[in-house]
Amino acid sequence: MMRPLLLLAFLLVLAPVARAAEYHVAKTGSGSACTLESPCPAIAAGLAVAGGGDTLWIHAGTYVEPIDTDVSTISGGSSSETQLTISAWPGAGS
């Protein structure tokens, strides 16, 4: 009886992590799925598809575009499991 409960507890802890996705924005992108293979060309497009718990990777480049800075329009939350993480792609700059 104890093992099924431990397994259930383990799966409940991992559930938010398993749902998290990674999205990509690159100046050379032309896709709308915002994947590594087909990145979105604009940060706003990446914000439109990313949600709470996801990571939005910004690849090297200069992005000149309006971004809605109203945090209520950006998916996320107050815990590390529900916050949207926006980060520079490793090696994309400082």
Side-chain angles (χ1 to χ4, degrees):
M1 180 68 172
M2 186 63 147
R3 286 187 183 168
L5 290 176
L6 286 174
L7 178 60
L8 178 61
F10 181 73
L11 292 175
L12 288 175
V13 168
L14 288 181
V17 175
R19 287 191 302 256
E22 293 188 354
Y23 296 97
H24 296 264
V25 174
K27 292 302 290 182
T28 58
S30 62
S32 60
C34 300
T35 63
L36 181 59
E37 297 78 20
S38 182
C40 290
I43 294 171
L47 289 172
V49 297
D54 295 342
T55 299
L56 180 62
W57 292 103
I58 311 298
H59 293 255
T62 301
Y63 298 85
V64 181
E65 62 181 285
I67 301 290
D68 186 354
T69 57
D70 180 1
V71 293
S72 67
T73 64
I74 298 174
S75 222
S78 58
S79 73
S80 61
E81 289 85 23
T82 60
Q83 291 177 344
L84 171 62
T85 300
I86 302 171
S87 185
W89 184 248
S94 47

